[in-house]
Amino acid sequence: MIIKTSHLGFALLGLIHQKPRSGYDLRKIFATTPLMHFSDSPGAIYPALRRLHQKRLITTYGRRNRLSRRKQVFRATSNGINQLKKWLLRRIRRPDVVWYMDELMLRLAFMGQVLGRRATIRFLQAFQSEIAAYVSELTKYHSSAAATMPLSGRLALESGIEEYKAKARWSQGALRQVRRKRRI
Amino acid sequence: MIIKTSHLGFALLGLIHQKPRSGYDLRKIFATTPLMHFSDSPGAIYPALRRLHQKRLITTYGRRNRLSRRKQVFRATSNGINQLKKWLLRRIRRPDVVWYMDELMLRLAFMGQVLGRRATIRFLQAFQSEIAAYVSELTKYHSSAAATMPLSGRLALESGIEEYKAKARWSQGALRQVRRKRRI
DNA sequence: GTATGCATGTAATACGTTACATGATTGT
DNA sequence: ACAATCATGTAACGTATTACATGCATAC
Protein backbone atom coordinates (compact mmCIF):
# COMPACT_ATOMS: atom_id res chain seq x y z
CA MET A 1 0.00 0.00 0.00
CA ILE A 2 1.37 3.34 -1.02
CA ILE A 3 0.60 6.26 1.25
CA LYS A 4 0.01 9.50 -0.60
CA THR A 5 2.76 11.96 0.20
CA SER A 6 3.68 15.31 -1.31
CA HIS A 7 7.06 16.12 -2.86
CA LEU A 8 7.92 18.18 0.16
CA GLY A 9 6.94 15.24 2.34
CA PHE A 10 9.36 12.95 0.53
CA ALA A 11 12.10 15.56 0.64
CA LEU A 12 11.68 15.79 4.39
CA LEU A 13 11.45 12.03 4.77
CA GLY A 14 14.61 11.52 2.72
CA LEU A 15 16.57 14.04 4.73
CA ILE A 16 15.31 12.60 8.01
CA HIS A 17 16.30 9.15 6.82
CA GLN A 18 19.87 10.32 6.24
CA LYS A 19 19.98 11.18 9.92
CA PRO A 20 17.51 12.33 12.55
CA ARG A 21 16.70 15.99 12.21
CA SER A 22 14.44 18.64 13.68
CA GLY A 23 12.10 20.92 11.76
CA TYR A 24 14.55 23.72 12.23
CA ASP A 25 17.42 21.63 10.86
CA LEU A 26 15.34 20.96 7.77
CA ARG A 27 14.43 24.60 7.35
CA LYS A 28 18.11 25.52 7.51
CA ILE A 29 18.93 23.00 4.80
CA PHE A 30 16.31 24.48 2.49
CA ALA A 31 17.46 27.98 3.32
CA THR A 32 21.17 27.45 2.80
CA THR A 33 21.71 24.78 0.16
CA PRO A 34 20.70 24.95 -3.50
CA LEU A 35 20.23 21.18 -3.70
CA MET A 36 16.52 21.23 -3.77
CA HIS A 37 14.64 24.42 -3.80
CA PHE A 38 11.82 24.01 -1.37
CA SER A 39 10.49 26.84 0.68
CA ASP A 40 11.97 27.07 4.16
CA SER A 41 8.81 28.66 5.53
CA PRO A 42 7.54 27.19 8.80
CA GLY A 43 4.01 27.25 7.46
CA ALA A 44 5.00 24.62 4.92
CA ILE A 45 7.40 22.49 6.90
CA TYR A 46 5.77 21.99 10.30
CA PRO A 47 2.41 20.96 8.90
CA ALA A 48 4.18 18.60 6.49
CA LEU A 49 6.10 17.04 9.37
CA ARG A 50 2.89 16.60 11.31
CA ARG A 51 1.34 14.80 8.35
CA LEU A 52 4.33 12.45 8.09
CA HIS A 53 4.01 11.83 11.78
CA GLN A 54 0.30 11.09 11.58
CA LYS A 55 0.99 8.55 8.84
CA ARG A 56 3.63 6.92 11.06
CA LEU A 57 6.39 7.57 8.55
CA ILE A 58 8.47 9.39 11.16
CA THR A 59 8.63 9.34 14.94
CA THR A 60 9.69 12.04 17.32
CA TYR A 61 11.83 12.02 20.39
CA GLY A 62 13.51 14.57 22.60
CA ARG A 63 10.34 16.18 23.89
CA ARG A 64 8.53 15.23 27.05
CA ASN A 65 5.06 16.67 26.58
CA ARG A 66 3.11 17.95 23.60
CA LEU A 67 2.93 21.56 24.76
CA SER A 68 6.61 22.27 25.15
CA ARG A 69 8.38 24.22 22.44
CA ARG A 70 11.66 22.50 23.00
CA LYS A 71 13.48 21.15 20.00
CA GLN A 72 12.05 17.90 18.75
CA VAL A 73 13.98 15.52 16.55
CA PHE A 74 12.38 13.21 14.01
CA ARG A 75 13.60 9.95 12.63
CA ALA A 76 12.24 7.67 9.95
CA THR A 77 10.24 4.60 10.93
CA SER A 78 10.68 1.32 9.07
CA ASN A 79 7.35 2.11 7.51
CA GLY A 80 8.71 5.48 6.43
CA ILE A 81 11.83 3.91 4.95
CA ASN A 82 9.63 1.53 3.00
CA GLN A 83 7.59 4.36 1.57
CA LEU A 84 10.77 6.22 0.70
CA LYS A 85 12.08 3.21 -1.20
CA LYS A 86 8.80 2.72 -3.02
CA TRP A 87 8.91 6.33 -4.10
CA LEU A 88 12.51 6.05 -5.29
CA LEU A 89 11.64 2.94 -7.28
CA ARG A 90 8.60 4.38 -9.06
CA ARG A 91 8.79 3.94 -12.80
CA ILE A 92 9.74 7.06 -14.72
CA ARG A 93 6.94 8.12 -17.03
CA ARG A 94 6.41 10.91 -19.48
CA PRO A 95 4.65 13.26 -17.03
CA ASP A 96 7.59 12.97 -14.66
CA VAL A 97 10.05 14.44 -17.14
CA VAL A 98 7.53 16.98 -18.41
CA TRP A 99 6.17 18.27 -15.13
CA TYR A 100 8.19 16.90 -12.26
CA MET A 101 11.84 17.06 -13.28
CA ASP A 102 12.73 18.48 -9.88
CA GLU A 103 11.19 15.51 -8.19
CA LEU A 104 13.26 13.15 -10.34
CA MET A 105 16.46 14.95 -9.39
CA LEU A 106 15.41 14.86 -5.76
CA ARG A 107 14.92 11.12 -6.04
CA LEU A 108 18.34 10.73 -7.60
CA ALA A 109 19.92 12.73 -4.80
CA PHE A 110 18.66 10.25 -2.21
CA MET A 111 18.93 7.16 -4.35
CA GLY A 112 22.61 6.24 -4.03
CA GLN A 113 22.50 6.06 -0.25
CA VAL A 114 19.14 4.38 0.03
CA LEU A 115 19.10 1.92 -2.87
CA GLY A 116 22.72 1.63 -3.97
CA ARG A 117 24.58 1.48 -7.23
CA ARG A 118 22.50 -0.92 -9.36
CA ALA A 119 19.23 0.88 -8.73
CA THR A 120 20.87 4.20 -9.51
CA ILE A 121 22.13 2.87 -12.82
CA ARG A 122 18.68 1.55 -13.69
CA PHE A 123 17.16 4.89 -12.76
CA LEU A 124 19.57 6.83 -14.95
CA GLN A 125 19.00 4.48 -17.87
CA ALA A 126 15.24 4.86 -17.62
CA PHE A 127 15.66 8.61 -17.27
CA GLN A 128 17.83 8.75 -20.34
CA SER A 129 15.45 6.88 -22.56
CA GLU A 130 12.42 8.85 -21.42
CA ILE A 131 14.30 12.11 -22.01
CA ALA A 132 15.41 10.99 -25.45
CA ALA A 133 11.82 10.19 -26.40
CA TYR A 134 10.61 13.56 -25.18
CA VAL A 135 13.39 15.48 -26.94
CA SER A 136 12.45 13.77 -30.16
CA GLU A 137 8.78 14.66 -29.65
CA LEU A 138 9.67 18.29 -28.96
CA THR A 139 11.95 18.41 -31.97
CA LYS A 140 9.20 17.06 -34.16
CA TYR A 141 6.79 19.68 -32.85
CA HIS A 142 9.42 22.34 -33.44
CA SER A 143 9.99 21.45 -37.05
CA SER A 144 6.27 21.44 -37.74
CA ALA A 145 5.38 24.62 -35.86
CA ALA A 146 8.46 26.83 -35.82
CA ALA A 147 7.79 28.44 -39.17
CA THR A 148 4.45 29.85 -38.08
CA MET A 149 5.47 30.88 -34.58
CA PRO A 150 6.42 34.41 -33.56
CA LEU A 151 10.13 34.71 -32.83
CA SER A 152 9.92 35.08 -29.09
CA GLY A 153 7.54 32.16 -28.81
CA ARG A 154 9.86 30.02 -30.88
CA LEU A 155 12.80 31.01 -28.70
CA ALA A 156 10.91 29.96 -25.59
CA LEU A 157 10.25 26.59 -27.16
CA GLU A 158 13.88 26.21 -28.12
CA SER A 159 14.92 27.07 -24.60
CA GLY A 160 12.91 24.08 -23.42
CA ILE A 161 14.43 21.79 -26.01
CA GLU A 162 17.94 22.87 -25.08
CA GLU A 163 17.16 22.26 -21.44
CA TYR A 164 16.14 18.69 -22.13
CA LYS A 165 19.11 18.12 -24.41
CA ALA A 166 21.34 19.30 -21.58
CA LYS A 167 19.69 16.76 -19.30
CA ALA A 168 20.34 14.06 -21.89
CA ARG A 169 24.02 14.94 -22.08
CA TRP A 170 24.32 15.18 -18.31
CA SER A 171 22.77 11.77 -17.83
CA GLN A 172 25.37 10.23 -20.16
CA GLY A 173 28.16 11.50 -17.98
CA ALA A 174 26.30 10.64 -14.81
CA LEU A 175 25.83 7.04 -15.92
CA ARG A 176 29.50 6.78 -16.76
CA GLN A 177 30.47 8.04 -13.32
CA VAL A 178 28.20 5.64 -11.49
CA ARG A 179 29.34 2.70 -13.60
CA ARG A 180 32.96 3.50 -13.02
CA LYS A 181 32.67 3.02 -9.27
CA ARG A 182 32.46 -0.29 -7.44
CA ARG A 183 30.29 1.26 -4.74
CA ILE A 184 28.77 4.69 -4.39
CA MET B 1 -1.66 49.38 -8.97
CA ILE B 2 -0.71 45.81 -9.70
CA ILE B 3 -3.47 43.25 -9.37
CA LYS B 4 -2.30 39.94 -7.94
CA THR B 5 -2.63 37.24 -10.58
CA SER B 6 -1.37 33.67 -10.67
CA HIS B 7 0.95 32.29 -13.34
CA LEU B 8 -1.95 30.44 -14.86
CA GLY B 9 -3.90 33.68 -14.86
CA PHE B 10 -1.19 35.45 -16.83
CA ALA B 11 -0.88 32.53 -19.23
CA LEU B 12 -4.59 32.74 -19.94
CA LEU B 13 -4.51 36.51 -20.18
CA GLY B 14 -1.60 36.40 -22.62
CA LEU B 15 -3.30 33.86 -24.85
CA ILE B 16 -6.58 35.77 -24.76
CA HIS B 17 -4.71 38.92 -25.67
CA GLN B 18 -3.29 37.25 -28.78
CA LYS B 19 -6.85 36.75 -29.87
CA PRO B 20 -10.24 36.21 -28.23
CA ARG B 21 -10.61 32.66 -27.01
CA SER B 22 -13.00 30.49 -25.03
CA GLY B 23 -12.15 28.37 -22.03
CA TYR B 24 -12.27 25.33 -24.23
CA ASP B 25 -9.88 26.88 -26.75
CA LEU B 26 -7.45 27.51 -23.92
CA ARG B 27 -7.78 24.00 -22.59
CA LYS B 28 -7.01 22.63 -26.04
CA ILE B 29 -3.86 24.73 -26.25
CA PHE B 30 -2.62 23.37 -22.94
CA ALA B 31 -3.54 19.85 -23.94
CA THR B 32 -1.93 19.83 -27.37
CA THR B 33 1.09 22.13 -27.33
CA PRO B 34 4.22 21.73 -25.25
CA LEU B 35 4.78 25.47 -25.14
CA MET B 36 3.80 25.93 -21.59
CA HIS B 37 2.88 23.04 -19.47
CA PHE B 38 -0.15 24.03 -17.56
CA SER B 39 -2.87 21.61 -16.65
CA ASP B 40 -5.77 21.54 -19.05
CA SER B 41 -8.19 20.54 -16.31
CA PRO B 42 -11.44 22.48 -16.23
CA GLY B 43 -11.18 22.74 -12.46
CA ALA B 44 -8.15 24.96 -12.90
CA ILE B 45 -9.07 26.96 -15.96
CA TYR B 46 -12.68 27.97 -15.48
CA PRO B 47 -12.17 29.30 -11.95
CA ALA B 48 -9.06 31.16 -13.15
CA LEU B 49 -11.05 32.73 -15.97
CA ARG B 50 -13.74 33.76 -13.53
CA ARG B 51 -11.12 35.46 -11.35
CA LEU B 52 -9.72 37.37 -14.34
CA HIS B 53 -13.25 38.39 -15.18
CA GLN B 54 -14.00 39.57 -11.67
CA LYS B 55 -10.86 41.70 -11.75
CA ARG B 56 -12.01 43.20 -15.08
CA LEU B 57 -8.92 41.96 -16.91
CA ILE B 58 -11.06 40.16 -19.48
CA THR B 59 -14.60 40.56 -20.75
CA THR B 60 -16.91 38.01 -22.19
CA TYR B 61 -19.23 38.04 -25.13
CA GLY B 62 -21.21 35.53 -27.12
CA ARG B 63 -23.51 34.45 -24.33
CA ARG B 64 -26.91 35.90 -23.57
CA ASN B 65 -27.62 34.84 -20.02
CA ARG B 66 -25.51 33.54 -17.15
CA LEU B 67 -27.15 30.12 -17.02
CA SER B 68 -26.56 29.01 -20.58
CA ARG B 69 -23.75 26.61 -21.30
CA ARG B 70 -23.13 27.98 -24.75
CA LYS B 71 -19.60 28.78 -25.76
CA GLN B 72 -18.38 32.04 -24.31
CA VAL B 73 -15.45 33.92 -25.73
CA PHE B 74 -13.17 36.16 -23.69
CA ARG B 75 -11.08 39.07 -24.75
CA ALA B 76 -8.62 41.24 -22.87
CA THR B 77 -9.70 44.63 -21.56
CA SER B 78 -7.36 47.60 -21.75
CA ASN B 79 -6.94 47.11 -18.03
CA GLY B 80 -5.97 43.50 -18.70
CA ILE B 81 -3.48 44.48 -21.37
CA ASN B 82 -1.94 46.93 -18.93
CA GLN B 83 -1.53 44.27 -16.29
CA LEU B 84 -0.06 41.93 -18.88
CA LYS B 85 2.53 44.54 -19.87
CA LYS B 86 3.39 45.29 -16.25
CA TRP B 87 3.96 41.58 -15.69
CA LEU B 88 6.14 41.27 -18.79
CA LEU B 89 8.21 44.24 -17.67
CA ARG B 90 8.85 43.06 -14.13
CA ARG B 91 12.51 43.10 -13.23
CA ILE B 92 14.17 39.72 -13.27
CA ARG B 93 15.43 38.82 -9.81
CA ARG B 94 17.24 35.90 -8.32
CA PRO B 95 14.10 34.05 -7.13
CA ASP B 96 12.74 34.19 -10.68
CA VAL B 97 15.59 32.16 -12.12
CA VAL B 98 15.75 29.86 -9.11
CA TRP B 99 12.08 29.09 -8.65
CA TYR B 100 10.11 30.46 -11.54
CA MET B 101 12.07 29.72 -14.70
CA ASP B 102 8.92 28.53 -16.43
CA GLU B 103 7.26 31.84 -15.75
CA LEU B 104 10.20 33.68 -17.31
CA MET B 105 9.97 31.57 -20.47
CA LEU B 106 6.23 32.16 -20.56
CA ARG B 107 6.86 35.89 -20.36
CA LEU B 108 9.36 35.66 -23.19
CA ALA B 109 6.89 33.76 -25.33
CA PHE B 110 4.40 36.63 -25.12
CA MET B 111 6.91 39.43 -25.08
CA GLY B 112 7.76 39.88 -28.73
CA GLN B 113 4.19 40.43 -29.77
CA VAL B 114 3.19 42.58 -26.83
CA LEU B 115 6.26 44.71 -26.16
CA GLY B 116 8.36 44.44 -29.30
CA ARG B 117 12.01 44.01 -30.11
CA ARG B 118 13.75 46.43 -27.75
CA ALA B 119 11.98 45.14 -24.65
CA THR B 120 12.75 41.57 -25.67
CA ILE B 121 16.44 42.41 -26.00
CA ARG B 122 16.46 44.08 -22.60
CA PHE B 123 14.71 41.07 -21.11
CA LEU B 124 17.21 38.63 -22.57
CA GLN B 125 20.13 40.74 -21.38
CA ALA B 126 18.77 40.87 -17.86
CA PHE B 127 18.07 37.15 -18.01
CA GLN B 128 21.58 36.42 -19.14
CA SER B 129 23.25 38.38 -16.39
CA GLU B 130 21.05 36.94 -13.67
CA ILE B 131 21.71 33.42 -14.95
CA ALA B 132 25.45 34.05 -15.09
CA ALA B 133 25.43 35.20 -11.48
CA TYR B 134 23.49 32.16 -10.38
CA VAL B 135 25.71 29.74 -12.29
CA SER B 136 28.71 31.24 -10.61
CA GLU B 137 27.06 30.88 -7.20
CA LEU B 138 26.20 27.26 -7.89
CA THR B 139 29.69 26.54 -9.15
CA LYS B 140 31.16 28.03 -6.01
CA TYR B 141 28.88 25.89 -3.87
CA HIS B 142 29.85 22.85 -5.93
CA SER B 143 33.56 23.31 -5.46
CA SER B 144 33.15 23.74 -1.73
CA ALA B 145 30.68 20.91 -1.14
CA ALA B 146 31.24 18.33 -3.87
CA ALA B 147 34.03 16.50 -2.07
CA THR B 148 31.86 15.66 0.92
CA MET B 149 28.69 14.85 -0.99
CA PRO B 150 27.53 11.35 -1.85
CA LEU B 151 27.85 10.61 -5.56
CA SER B 152 24.17 10.65 -6.46
CA GLY B 153 23.62 13.88 -4.55
CA ARG B 154 26.53 15.47 -6.37
CA LEU B 155 25.16 14.32 -9.70
CA ALA B 156 21.80 15.91 -8.93
CA LEU B 157 23.55 19.17 -8.15
CA GLU B 158 25.56 18.97 -11.36
CA SER B 159 22.39 18.34 -13.31
CA GLY B 160 21.09 21.66 -12.04
CA ILE B 161 24.29 23.47 -12.93
CA GLU B 162 24.25 22.03 -16.45
CA GLU B 163 20.65 23.09 -16.84
CA TYR B 164 21.47 26.68 -16.02
CA LYS B 165 24.56 26.64 -18.22
CA ALA B 166 22.37 25.45 -21.07
CA LYS B 167 20.06 28.39 -20.43
CA ALA B 168 23.05 30.72 -20.53
CA ARG B 169 24.17 29.35 -23.90
CA TRP B 170 20.65 29.44 -25.26
CA SER B 171 20.19 33.05 -24.27
CA GLN B 172 23.34 33.99 -26.19
CA GLY B 173 21.89 32.60 -29.39
CA ALA B 174 18.47 34.01 -28.64
CA LEU B 175 19.87 37.50 -28.21
CA ARG B 176 21.75 37.20 -31.48
CA GLN B 177 18.59 36.16 -33.30
CA VAL B 178 16.51 39.00 -31.91
CA ARG B 179 19.23 41.55 -32.64
CA ARG B 180 19.61 40.34 -36.20
CA LYS B 181 16.03 41.23 -37.10
CA ARG B 182 14.65 44.65 -37.74
CA ARG B 183 11.26 43.69 -36.35
CA ILE B 184 10.05 40.56 -34.63
C1' DG C 1 17.40 41.14 32.81
C1' DT C 2 17.17 41.65 28.24
C1' DA C 3 18.44 41.17 23.47
C1' DT C 4 19.37 37.68 20.06
C1' DG C 5 18.90 33.65 17.80
C1' DC C 6 16.85 29.05 18.22
C1' DA C 7 12.58 26.56 17.52
C1' DT C 8 7.84 25.63 16.85
C1' DG C 9 3.48 26.73 15.69
C1' DT C 10 -1.34 28.74 13.78
C1' DA C 11 -4.83 31.41 10.91
C1' DA C 12 -6.37 33.34 6.69
C1' DT C 13 -6.13 32.84 2.11
C1' DA C 14 -5.51 31.24 -2.57
C1' DC C 15 -4.96 27.88 -5.71
C1' DG C 16 -4.55 23.40 -8.19
C1' DT C 17 -6.15 18.46 -8.51
C1' DT C 18 -9.44 15.06 -8.98
C1' DA C 19 -13.74 13.52 -9.80
C1' DC C 20 -18.12 14.34 -10.99
C1' DA C 21 -22.09 16.56 -13.44
C1' DT C 22 -24.55 18.48 -17.23
C1' DG C 23 -26.00 21.31 -21.17
C1' DA C 24 -25.26 22.26 -26.29
C1' DT C 25 -24.03 20.94 -31.13
C1' DT C 26 -22.99 18.13 -34.86
C1' DG C 27 -22.97 14.18 -37.83
C1' DT C 28 -25.17 9.96 -39.26
C1' DA D 1 -32.83 9.30 -32.41
C1' DC D 2 -28.44 8.69 -30.82
C1' DA D 3 -23.49 8.97 -30.10
C1' DA D 4 -19.65 11.69 -29.98
C1' DT D 5 -17.66 15.71 -29.07
C1' DC D 6 -17.93 20.42 -27.71
C1' DA D 7 -18.20 23.27 -23.66
C1' DT D 8 -18.79 24.77 -19.05
C1' DG D 9 -19.11 24.16 -14.50
C1' DT D 10 -18.96 22.63 -9.15
C1' DA D 11 -17.52 20.24 -4.70
C1' DA D 12 -14.19 18.14 -1.78
C1' DC D 13 -9.73 18.04 -0.72
C1' DG D 14 -4.81 18.90 0.07
C1' DT D 15 -1.38 21.89 0.41
C1' DA D 16 1.70 26.16 -0.20
C1' DT D 17 2.14 31.19 1.02
C1' DT D 18 2.10 34.95 4.01
C1' DA D 19 1.92 36.96 8.17
C1' DC D 20 1.68 36.63 12.76
C1' DA D 21 2.54 34.67 17.52
C1' DT D 22 5.13 32.61 21.19
C1' DG D 23 8.17 29.85 24.03
C1' DC D 24 13.15 28.42 25.03
C1' DA D 25 18.39 29.19 25.51
C1' DT D 26 22.34 31.69 25.75
C1' DA D 27 25.50 35.29 26.20
C1' DC D 28 26.47 39.81 27.58
Side-chain angles (χ1 to χ4, degrees), chain A residues 12 14-26 29 49 61 71-75:
Chain A
L12 296 171
L15 288 167
I16 289 168
H17 175 247
Q18 290 177 344
K19 67 176 185 186
R21 301 182 199 261
S22 68
Y24 196 73
D25 293 336
L26 294 158
I29 290 173
L49 286 170
Y61 61 90
K71 174 169 180 160
Q72 84 177 305
V73 181
F74 296 97
R75 59 201 192 86

Side-chain angles (χ1 to χ4, degrees), chain B:
Chain B
M1 17 37 246
I2 74 152
I3 298 171
K4 259 189 87 179
T5 303
S6 68
H7 295 179
L8 173 59
F10 280 120
L12 296 170
L13 183 55
L15 288 167
I16 288 168
H17 176 246
Q18 290 178 346
K19 67 176 185 187
R21 301 182 199 260
S22 68
Y24 196 73
D25 293 335
L26 295 159
R27 287 184 62 201
K28 270 189 300 182
I29 291 173
F30 291 156
T32 61
T33 73
L35 298 191
M36 35 183 102
H37 33 234
F38 286 98
S39 160
D40 66 333
S41 95
I45 288 174
Y46 291 107
L49 286 170
R50 186 149 15 101
R51 288 193 295 271
L52 291 174
H53 192 231
Q54 279 166 352
K55 294 183 218 156
R56 318 277 175 199
L57 304 183
I58 57 176
T59 48
T60 178
Y61 61 92
R63 195 150 84 164
R64 299 159 229 278
N65 63 77
R66 355 188 75 261
L67 287 151
S68 157
R69 269 174 190 258
R70 247 223 250 49
K71 176 169 178 157
Q72 86 179 303
V73 181
F74 296 97
R75 58 200 192 88
T77 64
S78 61
N79 203 337
I81 297 169
N82 263 330
Q83 290 295 316
L84 184 62
K85 286 180 179 168
K86 282 218 181 70
W87 173 63
L88 294 174
L89 286 168
R90 276 186 200 166
R91 240 196 83 191
I92 298 176
R93 292 162 194 284
R94 182 61 54 93
D96 296 317
V97 299
V98 178
W99 282 305
Y100 305 120
M101 180 61 79
D102 285 352
E103 189 194 2
L104 290 178
M105 293 303 106
L106 182 64
R107 283 168 59 184
L108 174 65
F110 291 134
M111 190 163 295
Q113 308 269 295
V114 181
L115 296 180
R117 182 175 171 278
R118 319 269 320 195
T120 305
I121 290 174
R122 276 194 294 275
F123 177 87
L124 284 169
Q125 286 171 332
F127 179 83
Q128 208 166 38
S129 82
E130 196 58 50
I131 288 282
Y134 189 48
V135 165
S136 122
E137 186 188 310
L138 287 176
T139 306
K140 196 173 293 170
Y141 180 84
H142 182 271
S143 59
S144 80
T148 66
M149 289 175 72
L151 176 57
S152 73
R154 206 192 76 213
L155 291 173
L157 170 59
E158 287 164 0
S159 130
I161 295 177
E162 288 307 314
E163 186 178 317
Y164 283 107
K165 281 186 177 170
K167 283 272 181 275
R169 279 193 302 275
W170 160 84
S171 65
Q172 296 265 337
L175 250 179
R176 229 178 298 119
Q177 288 190 58
V178 178
R179 284 207 174 103
R180 203 186 297 139
K181 303 225 174 190
R182 194 78 62 83
R183 1 177 347 184
I184 62 173

Side-chain angles (χ1 to χ4, degrees), chain A:
Chain A
M1 13 46 241
I2 75 153
I3 298 171
K4 258 190 84 179
T5 304
S6 67
H7 294 178
L8 173 59
F10 280 120
L12 296 171
L13 183 56
L15 288 167
I16 289 168
H17 175 247
Q18 290 177 344
K19 67 176 185 186
R21 301 182 199 261
S22 68
Y24 196 73
D25 293 336
L26 294 158
R27 289 184 62 201
K28 269 189 301 181
I29 290 173
F30 292 155
T32 61
T33 74
L35 299 191
M36 33 186 104
H37 33 235
F38 287 98
S39 161
D40 66 333
S41 94
I45 289 174
Y46 291 107
L49 286 170
R50 187 152 11 104
R51 289 193 295 270
L52 291 174
H53 192 230
Q54 279 166 353
K55 295 182 219 156
R56 318 278 173 198
L57 305 182
I58 55 177
T59 48
T60 177
Y61 61 90
R63 195 149 84 163
R64 299 159 231 277
N65 62 77
R66 357 187 74 261
L67 287 151
S68 157
R69 272 177 189 256
R70 246 222 249 49
K71 174 169 180 160
Q72 84 177 305
V73 181
F74 296 97
R75 59 201 192 86
T77 64
S78 61
N79 204 337
I81 296 169
N82 263 329
Q83 289 295 316
L84 184 63
K85 285 180 179 168
K86 282 218 180 70
W87 172 64
L88 293 176
L89 286 168
R90 278 188 199 164
R91 239 196 82 192
I92 297 176
R93 292 162 195 283
R94 182 60 55 92
D96 296 318
V97 300
V98 178
W99 283 307
Y100 306 120
M101 181 61 79
D102 285 353
E103 188 194 2
L104 290 178
M105 293 302 105
L106 182 64
R107 283 168 59 185
L108 174 66
F110 291 134
M111 189 163 294
Q113 308 269 295
V114 180
L115 297 179
R117 183 175 170 277
R118 319 271 316 199
T120 305
I121 289 174
R122 275 194 295 275
F123 176 87
L124 284 169
Q125 285 171 333
F127 178 82
Q128 209 166 39
S129 81
E130 196 56 50
I131 287 282
Y134 189 48
V135 166
S136 121
E137 185 188 312
L138 286 176
T139 306
K140 196 173 295 169
Y141 180 84
H142 182 270
S143 57
S144 81
T148 66
M149 290 175 71
L151 176 57
S152 73
R154 206 191 77 213
L155 291 172
L157 171 60
E158 288 165 0
S159 131
I161 296 177
E162 288 307 314
E163 185 178 318
Y164 285 106
K165 282 187 176 170
K167 283 273 182 274
R169 279 193 302 275
W170 161 84
S171 64
Q172 296 266 339
L175 250 178
R176 229 178 297 120
Q177 288 191 59
V178 178
R179 283 205 174 107
R180 203 185 298 139
K181 301 225 175 189
R182 193 78 63 82
R183 4 175 343 183
I184 61 175

